[in-house]
Amino acid sequence: MLKSVVRAVGAAARLSSASTPAARVLPLSYPALRSPSPAITRPFTRSLWLLSNNGASSGYRPKLFSSKVLSPSVSCGCGGLHTEGDKTFGDFLSDEIKEEKKIQKNKSLPKVSGGWELEMNGTEAKLTRSVSGEKVTVTFNVNNSIPPNFEEEVEQTQQKSAEEEPEIVSTPNFVVEVTKQAAKHSLVFDCHFPEDEMSHGEGEEESDIFAIREVSFQPQGDSEWKETSYNLNTDSLDWALYDHLMDFLADRGVDNTFADELTELSTAIEHQEYIKFLEDLQGFVKCN
């Protein structure tokens, strides 16, 4: 009964934010992804702004424009333009990459307990497991998965050491697809991490750290998400039905423990992709 009350409170919070829903993350089999929500863009640059002496703590800001005209270098045979600004940019990226690798927690991707198998396709990840003849697939994309909860804390943390900086955690939207062998359709859950349900107080019953936004049936093996299929929105859903849907997921291994491990995996993937992007950017600037 208490768990239902906790979920009711969480759902009430979802009602208050229903006017700005986050974008659905579709499974890998559904390539027609919606545009990401503008509310989940990265609010500030990462390592050197806050971790080095040249960052925001020292009042340093990069010069966006310069009145000095820089002459191109002809030392490279790639045929591209090379300036002193490019050299400075490349040196900055070298320092940035070193700093990010220094604070990288996971050199290899962490495992998700419960027999989940991971498949990667760029920034998209798919976790799959079989449960008594059913196939459960969880997919998510790490793009725009860093919540904008650091923006108000930047000023307060500018004078703090690197160890005291807020930790960047990836909390992506994710889709759970449950497939039965004899069924023609898959039951699909569109899930997300509400910001107000990510932590619990001591002595209180643990609430759900993730929530279901929508539920629908989708044809098995279809390459596109059918927008003509009925989508059950949970914002105005009966609490008892919502509890049964959450229990249905928990019985198939999608519970708070899974959600915690998913955020750990997503954070590691997002950081790896960020470092890879910096390396690609450095190579492009330096024409390596």
Side-chain angles (χ1 to χ4, degrees), residues 203-273:
E204 297 180 3
E205 181 176 341
E206 187 178 273
S207 63
D208 299 310
I209 65 175
F210 73 96
I212 302 171
R213 181 183 289 113
E214 290 181 349
V215 186
S216 67
F217 282 105
Q218 298 294 334
Q220 290 189 28
D222 213 337
S223 59
E224 295 183 1
W225 185 284
K226 295 292 185 183
E227 293 293 345
T228 53
S229 297
Y230 178 76
N231 291 323
L232 176 65
N233 192 298
T234 62
D235 288 336
S236 56
L237 194 63
D238 175 76
W239 310 127
L241 177 55
Y242 183 83
D243 282 348
H244 281 299
L245 290 172
M246 291 294 290
D247 290 341
F248 179 87
L249 290 179
D251 290 340
R252 286 151 180 81
V254 182
D255 53 13
N256 275 357
T257 299
F258 171 84
D260 277 331
E261 294 180 355
L262 185 145
T263 58
E264 182 181 355
L265 172 63
S266 180
T267 300
I269 295 172
E270 198 277 341
H271 200 187
Q272 281 190 1
E273 290 296 320

Side-chain angles (χ1 to χ4, degrees), residues 279 282-288:
E279 291 173 338
Q282 181 191 36
F284 187 86
V285 170
K286 288 189 172 183
C287 199
N288 291 341

Side-chain angles (χ1 to χ4, degrees), residues 8-281:
V9 173
R14 293 194 304 277
L15 277 172
S16 65
S17 61
S19 60
T20 57
R24 173 186 292 124
V25 179
L26 300 183
L28 296 180
S29 58
Y30 304 134
L33 295 174
R34 291 180 177 180
S35 299
S37 169
I40 53 175
T41 55
R42 181 178 292 114
F44 60 92
T45 54
R46 300 167 69 153
S47 63
L48 292 190
W49 276 108
L50 298 177
L51 299 179
S52 75
N53 293 329
N54 290 329
S57 61
S58 64
Y60 171 80
R61 292 294 184 275
K63 295 181 179 179
L64 297 181
F65 300 99
S66 173
S67 59
K68 182 180 178 181
V69 179
L70 300 177
S71 300
S73 169
V74 293
S75 61
C76 179
C78 70
L81 177 67
H82 296 284
T83 68
E84 289 297 322
D86 292 345
K87 182 179 183 303
T88 303
F89 190 14
D91 293 340
F92 170 84
L93 289 171
S94 295
D95 293 337
E96 181 84 354
I97 293 167
K98 290 177 184 177
E99 198 66 39
E100 289 294 333
K101 287 183 176 180
K102 187 187 302 181
I103 64 174
Q104 188 176 14
K105 287 186 174 181
N106 298 287
K107 304 302 180 182
S108 59
L109 296 179
K111 300 289 185 181
V112 178
S113 61
W116 294 90
E117 296 182 2
L118 174 64
E119 178 184 335
M120 293 296 305
N121 180 20
T123 58
E124 290 183 335
K126 179 168 73 174
L127 293 164
T128 307
R129 74 185 297 236
S130 296
V131 183
S132 300
E134 291 184 1
K135 181 181 179 181
V136 184
T137 304
V138 178
T139 58
F140 60 92
N141 194 315
V142 299
N143 281 335
N144 301 313
S145 63
I146 305 297
N149 59 343
F150 304 101
E151 197 166 22
E152 297 177 358
E153 303 175 15
V154 172
E155 266 188 46
Q156 302 173 3
T157 59
Q158 284 177 355
Q159 303 300 326
K160 295 181 180 180
S161 64
E163 290 77 11
E164 296 173 327
E165 299 299 342
E167 183 180 1
I168 296 179
V169 178
S170 170
T171 55
N173 300 332
F174 62 96
V175 169
V176 182
E177 180 182 359
V178 180
T179 303
K180 293 181 179 288
Q181 292 179 348
K184 295 181 179 179
H185 294 80
S186 298
L187 185 59
V188 181
F189 298 80
D190 180 13
C191 303
H192 68 119
F193 291 94
E195 292 181 28
D196 55 349
E197 296 181 18
M198 285 301 294
S199 60
H200 322 292
E202 275 190 39
E204 297 180 3
E205 181 176 341
E206 187 178 273
S207 63
D208 299 310
I209 65 175
F210 73 96
I212 302 171
R213 181 183 289 113
E214 290 181 349
V215 186
S216 67
F217 282 105
Q218 298 294 334
Q220 290 189 28
D222 213 337
S223 59
E224 295 183 1
W225 185 284
K226 295 292 185 183
E227 293 293 345
T228 53
S229 297
Y230 178 76
N231 291 323
L232 176 65
N233 192 298
T234 62
D235 288 336
S236 56
L237 194 63
D238 175 76
W239 310 127
L241 177 55
Y242 183 83
D243 282 348
H244 281 299
L245 290 172
M246 291 294 290
D247 290 341
F248 179 87
L249 290 179
D251 290 340
R252 286 151 180 81
V254 182
D255 53 13
N256 275 357
T257 299
F258 171 84
D260 277 331
E261 294 180 355
L262 185 145
T263 58
E264 182 181 355
L265 172 63
S266 180
T267 300
I269 295 172
E270 198 277 341
H271 200 187
Q272 281 190 1
E273 290 296 320
Y274 178 62
I275 293 174
K276 182 179 181 298
F277 173 82
L278 293 179
E279 291 173 338
D280 291 343
L281 181 58

